[in-house]
Amino acid sequence: MSHEIEADFKYDWENENTQCQNCSSFQVLEDGSFFCSEAQAEVPANSHCDFFQSID
């Protein structure tokens, strides 16, 4: 990890609108795993943090 993420990170988030999979930092890697470019770490698709930025 290139830097420490100082966010309120939740591994299971009920609000689908603001889950990681709807964030501009979320990426799907070639092996099918999920990656957050802000945290520089693998994340679950249904997680959430307060660095969330909608892709819409």
Side-chain angles (χ1 to χ4, degrees):
M1 182 182 278
S2 63
H3 64 279
E4 280 295 316
I5 189 167
E6 293 182 15
D8 186 17
F9 189 82
K10 307 291 185 196
Y11 284 92
D12 187 16
W13 189 252
E14 293 180 11
N15 183 346
E16 292 182 16
N17 293 332
T18 57
Q19 287 179 350
C20 287
Q21 61 192 334
N22 295 314
C23 179
S24 61
S25 297
F26 182 79
Q27 302 170 5
V28 179
L29 302 179
E30 289 181 15
D31 66 0
S33 62
F34 308 120
F35 186 80
C36 173
S37 60
E38 182 67 38
Q40 294 292 303
E42 285 190 33
V43 296
N46 67 339
S47 55
H48 170 85
C49 84
D50 57 2
F51 286 118
F52 178 85
Q53 293 180 17
S54 178
I55 56 176
D56 293 341

